[in-house]
Every structure is written in C-alpha cells, then in structure tokens.
Amino acid sequence: MAVVTVLRGVSHGRLPLLPHSQLPIVSVTGRPRNIGYYGNHRPNYLRIYARYSQAQDLFTTRLQDRLENLPKLVEDIVQTSLNTGPRGALRLAQGVQAVVGVGSEWLQDVSKTANSSTGLPSQLQLGLLSPLYLRKLLERMGATYIKLGQFIASAPTLFPPEYVQEFQYCFDRAPAVPFEEIQTILREELGRPIDTVFEYIDPTPLASASIAQVHGARIRGTGEDVVIKVLKPGIEDILVADLNFVYIVARILEFLSPDLSRASLVAIVKDIRESMLEEVDFKKEAANVESFRRYLEAMGLTKQATAPKVYPQCSTKRVLTMERLYGVPLTDLDSIKSLVSSPETSLITALNVWFGSLLACESFHADVHAGNLWQLHDGRIGFLDFGIVGRISPKTWAAMEVFLQSIAIEDYESMASALIDMGATGKDVDSKAFASDLEKIFLSIQDLDTEIIVAAARDTNTNATAVAANVVFDERQMNALFVDVVRVSESYGLKFPREFALLLKQLLYFDRYTRLLAPNMNMYRDQRIKLVSDRRQRNIYQ
C-alpha cells in the first residue's frame, strides 16, 4: 500500500527530497550581464536574491527538521526490525526474487514493443509500479501481499481507480495446503489427538483462500456437522514480517517527502496492518459471529436468519470450528425457488436483518457477496464469514441515514449534502454541481445489465425439463461504479471514512440481488424494507 501511494509522486518522474512545489521558482531570462548593480536592473537583482535567500532558509529549516527527527526514525526502524526477527531476512530474499522474476517479464514485454512506432504503452513506462506488474509482484510475494492487493481492491477511497480495478484479480482462488499440514496445525492447536475431537474430517477443502483453508468435519460424540477454518502454516510470521517491512518503507518515505506525511501515509499503513492482523485472529472473528447471533436473538430474528454457531472448545486463534450450514448462494435463483415460495420475501428478510445490524449490532457484516449470504434449506437466511466487519461512527451514521433516505426519493441534492457532511474537506463544495454528477452516476447504476443465464436440461427418466437460472456478478463492473462515486466526490475535495466505502459496496451487492430475486421491487422505496431503524435499537448490548 505504501508503494501504491507513492505512485502519484513517481508518475511525475521523481520523488524529491524537497518537493519542488514548495520551493520558490526562480526564472532568469536574458543574458547574465544584464543582472547587476547598475541602472534599472538593481530591483530585479534584489528580488532574485530575496527569493534565493527564502529558498535557502526553507532548505535549512527542512534540513533541521529532518536531523531532529532522524534519531526517532532510526529507533523506530531498529525496534520494528527486532520485532520482525530472522523471518525478515528470509522475506527480503524472497522479495528480491519476486522483483527479479516480474522484472524479467517486464523486460520481455518491453523488448516486444521496442520497435513499435507508437512508443511504449503507459503500463510499460511505469515498469513494476504499473497496476499490472505491481499486481503480479504482489501475487509472487505471497499471502500477505495478496491480502494487501485485496485491501486495495476494496478501498477506492484510498487508492487510484486503475489500481483498484487491476487488483480485483487478487480475489481468485488460492492454492490449497496439503491436508497433512492442516492435520499438524490442528494437533498443535487443539493439544490432543485429532480423532478425540473430530469423528471425521474431509481431506478435500471446501475452500482455500490466501490466509486460511476450510474443511468439512463431524464432532465426535454429538455427530454435529461443522466446518473447520484453519490458518495456513507460517502465515502469521510472514504477515508480521511483511507488514513491518511496509511500515518501515512508509516511515522512510514520509521522512524524505513531507507531501506523503501530509497524506498520512504511515497512518494508512497502520490502519491496513491493524485490519489485516485482525482478520488472521480467529478469536476476533468468533467474537464477531457471536455478536451477530446475540443481535438476532435480542431482536427476535432467529427464525428469519442465522449465523453459524461457534464451538469454542474446538477453536483457537488459528483454528475456528463452526456449525455447518446447508444452503445455496442468494444468486442461485432456481435452487432458491425449490426451497422457498417467494425469493422476493427472502431478499426482504436479508435486507431488513442487515440494515438492522447497522444500528443494533456491535459491528456489521462487511462482505455480503454471494458466497457469504445464503438461502438455507430450512428457509432462513444464513450470514457466513465474519472476517471482515465494519463499525459506524455516530457522524457517519447520521449522514448515512440522510444518504439512504435521499436514494429512496431520488433527491440528489440531499444526497450531495449528506456526502459533504460525511466527508472530510477543507474547502467549500458546489453542492448543486455535485448533486448533478451524482445523479448521472446513479442513473448509470439503474441501467446496469445483469446477465441472467438460463440453462435447460431434460431428465431422461421423467422426461421433465429443469430450468436453472443464475446471475453473473461482474465484480469489476460493480467496483467501477463504486470508483465513479468516489472519484466524483474526490473531485470536490471530499475524503470518506473507510466504513462508508464498506457500506456502499454492500448496497451495490444488494442492488444486484434485487435485480435477480425481485426485479420489480425498488429496494430504497419499498415500505417492507426498513432502511432506517428505530434509533432506540442502537447499542442494545449496553
């Protein structure tokens, strides 16, 4: 992430020790002999000399600031390096190997276009800092950097759109870890033989992500079906080493360039480090799941929706054992019709439960894509995978209420005002022009094409025809709309908190579900959907 932020400076061809934009610009024209102590040229000389003196004073001040901060920087780097341990040297060697590998790819691509009359494409001009080659570099460097790429792909409020779009490819399935290694981790974490805890574990994983792997299993004694989420071996050490390295780079860059300091580069790195470390601590994910389950119980929603029960006796920081829920993704229309009489009612339930959690729950589910939101066989809505959650500040929520209400009535001026209140800006915003730009974006969302695939198959025994329909979600297309909202907002000087980015992305997910399950329903106007709940529901645990 530190590298991506630097790109904005690098794209101009330099990363200066002293930003040129802060130095007085001295422009001298004509011959040198015309600048002297004589005649009418004396005032010009004095002005140039004064500017030169100001530049010297600025340089001296900058240098003094750096010398004063140097001991603290060195101390921070040394302490961070000590915390990293020997793993840091190994990861550095692996990083160099990855850079050489991707660099070779870049050189080959450059040689192919060297004789082109049109010159080098922009992707090749930026080298390893271009979106394409940087994404390849992150993938070669392993799990931490893949997660970093996923973070960038999910945070268009922080990163340029071309990087956000390219890093969508970081969400592809990760290679599985051999089952023997998974068994070793389970024995170490549980502290006893595996067969005393689980009657059966399926060696074929149900899913494999960049940091964890999921296996189906059965609890010994009770026979309950569960899923075991296991942190991949060595991920924690690699994560700490990599994030510490990124932090050191960010500290050095801020030391060299005050522009990056004003952009809060180190603060952004700290935020990403905290977010990623939380995701690999399964005790925190278990707490998120239990919080959501308490919310459902407190609001009397357990017959409408659920989240998997956590088995604490079989869970640790690196292992999370949960109830196995059976169902289908909320995009599998044909299967949903076989489970419930009204897919539209299921969607309304999912929306009301999720919107209610924004107010009444300690945190909200911030990743409701089709793999994490299911229609269960028992008719309920299942919320899965609470590794990514969000928390809303009072200021953001107050603005979000107005934002949602303005969407419902298509009042773009109120929407613009809400976003202005939510975002941080140091200048006045032309709210009417902003509202006009927002209207264009939201009209484009309404015009989105949702591709419905219908497959017909004839059963040879019964001669009956089964029709299955599904929806193809184009993540890059949806994210492009998200980027448009952020891009237009930034053009007016607005910077949004991360929770707004999380909220808006979930709304776009639900918009797609609506197009498939209830195409005639307006998600923001339907009276059955409670976009804004009773404020008294907030913080029900306090």
Side-chain angles (χ1 to χ4, degrees):
M1 170 218 347
V3 177
V4 174
T5 308
V6 174
L7 287 172
R8 295 178 178 177
V10 175
S11 64
H12 297 291
R14 58 181 176 265
L15 181 62
L17 178 65
L18 295 177
H20 294 268
S21 60
Q22 296 179 13
L23 289 177
I25 299 174
V26 181
S27 176
V28 181
T29 58
R31 297 180 180 179
R33 63 185 176 83
N34 289 336
I35 303 176
Y37 287 98
Y38 306 104
N40 295 330
H41 295 292
R42 183 170 180 174
N44 290 335
Y45 172 82
L46 292 176
R47 280 196 295 271
I48 293 173
Y49 179 78
R51 290 187 177 184
Y52 175 78
S53 298
Q54 292 172 2
Q56 288 292 97
D57 291 341
L58 179 60
F59 177 83
T60 302
T61 302
R62 293 282 189 190
L63 185 60
Q64 289 175 345
D65 289 342
R66 279 166 174 72
L67 291 175
E68 290 176 1
N69 293 327
L70 184 59
K72 185 177 179 181
L73 172 65
V74 172
E75 180 184 357
D76 200 3
I77 291 175
V78 170
Q79 187 61 51
T80 303
S81 299
L82 290 174
N83 292 339
T84 302
R87 170 66 73 173
L90 176 60
R91 289 299 289 159
L92 179 60
Q94 293 171 339
V96 171
Q97 186 178 11
V99 170
V100 171
V102 178
S104 299
E105 288 187 38
W106 173 74
L107 288 174
Q108 291 176 3
D109 293 341
V110 168
S111 65
K112 293 176 182 177
T113 58
N115 298 324
S116 174
S117 59
T118 58
L120 288 178
S122 58
Q123 286 272 30
L124 295 178
Q125 290 178 16
L126 286 174
L128 300 191
L129 296 178
S130 71
L132 173 63
Y133 294 103
L134 185 58
R135 191 258 299 170
K136 290 184 176 182
L137 179 60
L138 296 187
E139 289 177 340
R140 280 192 180 229
M141 293 181 70
T144 304
Y145 291 93
I146 291 174
K147 290 296 296 180
L148 187 60
Q150 292 173 357
F151 185 95
I152 293 171
S154 301
T157 56
L158 299 177
F159 302 100
E162 57 270 24
Y163 291 90
V164 171
Q165 292 172 7
E166 178 64 35
F167 290 168
Q168 297 297 311
Y169 293 103
C170 290
F171 286 104
D172 292 343
R173 179 183 173 90
V177 171
F179 184 58
E180 292 75 16
E181 295 185 38
I182 297 297
Q183 288 178 307
T184 300
I185 295 174
L186 288 174
R187 280 193 295 267
E188 292 174 354
E189 291 296 304
L190 299 176
R192 55 192 186 274
I194 298 175
D195 57 9
T196 64
V197 182
F198 300 106
E199 177 182 318
Y200 166 78
I201 301 179
D202 189 346
T204 302
L206 295 171
S208 178
S210 58
I211 65 169
Q213 194 159 298
V214 179
H215 288 262
R218 188 176 301 118
I219 297 287
R220 179 165 292 282
T222 65
E224 295 171 275
D225 288 345
V226 295
V227 292
I228 312 171
K229 187 175 182 179
V230 183
L231 200 65
K232 290 185 173 180
I235 286 296
E236 290 170 291
D237 291 340
I238 292 174
L239 192 66
V240 170
D242 291 348
L243 291 176
N244 283 347
F245 173 73
V246 173
Y247 173 76
I248 289 174
V249 171
R251 288 284 283 115
I252 293 173
L253 290 174
E254 275 202 357
F255 178 78
L256 295 176
S257 176
D259 281 341
L260 295 175
S261 178
R262 282 190 292 274
S264 303
L265 176 61
V266 170
I268 293 174
V269 170
K270 285 182 176 179
D271 179 56
I272 289 184
R273 182 166 62 172
E274 181 180 346
S275 173
M276 291 176 67
L277 289 176
E278 277 194 8
E279 197 171 342
V280 297
D281 184 348
F282 291 161
K283 288 186 176 180
K284 292 184 177 179
E285 182 174 347
N288 294 336
V289 176
E290 290 301 321
S291 171
F292 191 81
R293 285 175 61 86
R294 289 197 302 272
Y295 149 69
L296 295 177
E297 292 174 4
M299 302 304 297
L301 297 171
T302 54
K303 292 184 179 181
Q304 286 78 45
T306 189
K309 180 179 69 174
V310 174
Y311 292 77
Q313 72 277 16
C314 309
S315 299
T316 67
K317 184 178 179 180
R318 301 171 64 200
V319 174
L320 180 59
T321 303
M322 298 175 288
E323 169 190 11
R324 184 169 184 176
L325 301 177
Y326 291 93
V328 297
L330 215 58
T331 54
D332 189 343
L333 179 59
D334 187 64
S335 296
I336 291 174
K337 286 182 176 179
S338 70
L339 296 173
V340 295
S341 58
S342 173
E344 181 176 296
T345 301
S346 294
L347 174 63
I348 292 171
T349 298
L351 283 165
N352 283 332
V353 169
W354 185 80
F355 276 118
S357 70
L358 298 180
L359 282 173
C361 195
E362 296 169 354
S363 58
F364 65 89
H365 196 303
D367 197 20
V368 293
H369 63 72
N372 292 338
L373 197 59
W374 283 14
Q375 175 71 67
L376 301 182
H377 290 171
D378 62 12
R380 294 183 297 175
I381 298 297
F383 286 80
L384 288 70
D385 194 347
F386 284 76
I388 301 177
V389 297
R391 295 172 179 84
I392 307 178
S393 65
K395 177 185 176 182
T396 301
W397 176 247
M400 197 67 192
E401 284 185 323
V402 178
F403 179 77
L404 293 174
Q405 291 171 337
S406 64
I407 292 178
I409 60 176
E410 297 182 8
D411 184 348
Y412 297 102
E413 290 190 6
S414 295
M415 188 187 302
S417 298
L419 292 177
I420 292 170
D421 291 340
M422 190 186 306
T425 179
K427 64 179 184 180
D428 293 332
V429 177
D430 185 342
S431 60
K432 289 190 175 180
F434 186 28
S436 177
D437 287 340
L438 287 173
E439 182 176 6
K440 295 174 184 176
I441 293 173
F442 277 85
L443 288 177
S444 72
I445 293 177
Q446 293 175 13
D447 294 336
L448 258 184
D449 291 328
T450 300
E451 184 180 354
I452 303 296
I453 296 180
V454 179
R458 184 172 299 278
D459 190 314
T460 56
N461 295 324
T462 63
N463 204 34
T465 301
V467 179
N470 207 332
V471 65
V472 174
F473 281 85
D474 187 340
E475 292 289 338
R476 287 179 290 280
Q477 183 189 35
M478 190 175 72
N479 206 72
L481 289 169
F482 189 16
V483 169
D484 281 343
V485 174
V486 174
R487 176 183 52 77
V488 169
S489 300
E490 286 185 343
S491 70
Y492 289 91
L494 295 170
K495 295 287 184 181
F496 297 122
R498 184 167 177 252
E499 60 261 34
F500 171 72
L502 291 173
L503 284 169
L504 185 55
K505 190 163 188 176
Q506 309 321 303
L507 291 177
L508 289 174
Y509 277 129
F510 279 118
D511 178 77
R512 288 300 187 85
Y513 296 142
T514 301
R515 291 173 181 273
L516 175 68
L517 303 179
N520 297 321
M521 184 182 78
N522 187 314
M523 183 174 75
Y524 302 106
R525 289 185 176 182
D526 197 294
Q527 296 299 312
R528 296 168 294 177
I529 300 172
K530 301 176 182 177
L531 292 179
V532 182
S533 302
D534 191 335
R535 287 181 179 272
R536 291 172 297 179
Q537 294 179 354
R538 191 170 179 81
N539 298 326
I540 60 177
Y541 308 113
Q542 299 180 358

